[in-house]
Amino acid sequence: MEKAIIYVVSDSVGETAEFVTKAALSQFMDENAYDLYRIPYVENIEVLRGAVYHAKQLGAMIGFTLVNPVLREFLIQEARNKQVECVDILGPMLEAMERKFHRKAKEEPGLIHRLDEDYFRRVEAIEFAVRYDDGRDPRGVMQADIVLIGVSRTSKTPLSQYLAHKRLKVANIPIVPEVDPPETLFKIPSQKCIGLRISSEKLNSIRKERLKSLGLDDTASYANMERIQEELNYFDQLIQRIGCPVIDVSNKAVEETANIILNMINQPYWNMDTREQ
């Protein structure tokens, strides 16, 4: 069977059209069963005429997001004349909103991708999470909005990245009995440090699977229950010393843990230092 061919046409980047098209295609076929070609930044009808011509020759269909009504109407009419299947992804939503809000759309391509302050804050937070991941540089502790601490395999890294997309600067520190934690942990407000607790049974299961995925023996000390208990005991001692809040992540998805943290930091006492002086 020949691959299906889809052209994605846009007067901006074309990410929206591609995402929606792929979402629809997933209901019919695997990703390797079609070829998708993106035609971005369309500014004139000649490009659209060429897209329809090639789609006709190859038996392809077209999905498009065009905010310019002239370009949008031309493509629809040209595709109809050439009997090419063509789907307007954005147009019906724009028309419905014009009726609802009683005003015309701005008709400016790419508004959603404008680099605003929120975008830069998110990028900065993501870069921060990468730079200060896994205790790589303890200086990040003092600059972070949140510091996650926990033994290995408590989802510190994915949680840091998830929170970074919420524009929070997150550093994370692995807790290992043989390694002293950075002194900066004891200098920040206690509630900005969040401990990630996990049951020994769950951790044992996770670590065994991790060793197997690496092609290693799952009886290694990394997954040994005695070693795990030693690490968890050390973690508990450290948590008592810091006096920070703790979340049990044993049976929680990253998103669930992140929501708990987001709710915590929205409390009025968040920026207060509750350490005993």
Side-chain angles (χ1 to χ4, degrees), residues 23-211:
L25 282 166
S26 69
Q27 299 296 317
F28 297 91
M29 62 191 74
D30 295 330
E31 192 171 352
N32 58 6
Y34 64 84
D35 287 324
L36 188 148
Y37 301 101
R38 195 194 297 188
I39 305 175
Y41 302 114
V42 174
E43 295 181 346
N44 59 72
I45 61 175
E46 293 308 315
V47 175
L48 299 178
R49 184 178 282 117
V52 173
Y53 172 81
H54 287 293
K56 177 68 174 179
Q57 298 302 308
L58 297 173
M61 69 174 291
I62 297 173
F64 70 91
T65 51
L66 296 168
V67 298
N68 185 315
V70 175
L71 297 179
R72 190 163 69 238
E73 187 55 38
F74 176 84
L75 180 55
I76 292 171
Q77 192 58 51
E78 183 73 3
R80 185 179 295 130
N81 293 341
K82 296 293 192 296
Q83 296 183 314
V84 171
E85 193 71 50
C86 187
V87 181
D88 185 354
I89 296 170
L90 194 60
M93 180 65 78
L94 290 174
E95 292 167 3
M97 287 184 174
E98 286 181 341
R99 293 192 298 271
K100 177 66 177 177
F101 304 134
H102 306 293
R103 60 176 182 267
K104 294 288 290 181
K106 294 179 180 178
E107 298 176 1
E108 297 178 40
L111 285 180
I112 197 170
H113 297 292
R114 291 260 174 98
L115 303 184
D116 56 15
E117 182 180 353
D118 185 71
Y119 172 85
F120 283 116
R121 286 178 60 193
R122 185 179 293 110
V123 170
E124 183 181 10
I126 293 170
E127 291 177 345
F128 186 94
V130 172
R131 186 180 307 121
Y132 299 112
D133 180 47
D134 207 31
R136 195 171 298 162
D137 186 344
R139 292 176 297 181
V141 170
M142 299 299 292
Q143 305 169 41
D145 297 317
I146 297 169
V147 180
L148 303 176
I149 64 173
V151 301
S152 174
R153 312 312 296 176
T154 48
S155 299
K156 296 185 298 299
T157 295
L159 185 54
S160 296
Q161 287 293 328
Y162 188 97
L163 291 169
H165 280 85
K166 303 296 182 181
R167 303 179 302 282
L168 291 169
K169 293 181 179 178
V170 185
N172 71 76
I173 304 293
I175 301 306
V176 184
E178 293 79 14
V179 180
D180 291 333
E183 284 299 317
T184 46
L185 271 183
F186 308 100
K187 297 179 180 178
I188 60 173
S190 59
Q191 59 272 64
K192 287 191 177 183
C193 180
I194 298 175
L196 304 178
R197 178 176 283 126
I198 188 169
S199 71
S200 55
E201 293 79 11
K202 183 68 174 180
L203 186 56
N204 175 254
S205 174
I206 292 172
R207 288 188 176 183
K208 280 186 174 181
E209 288 302 315
R210 176 59 175 166
L211 289 171

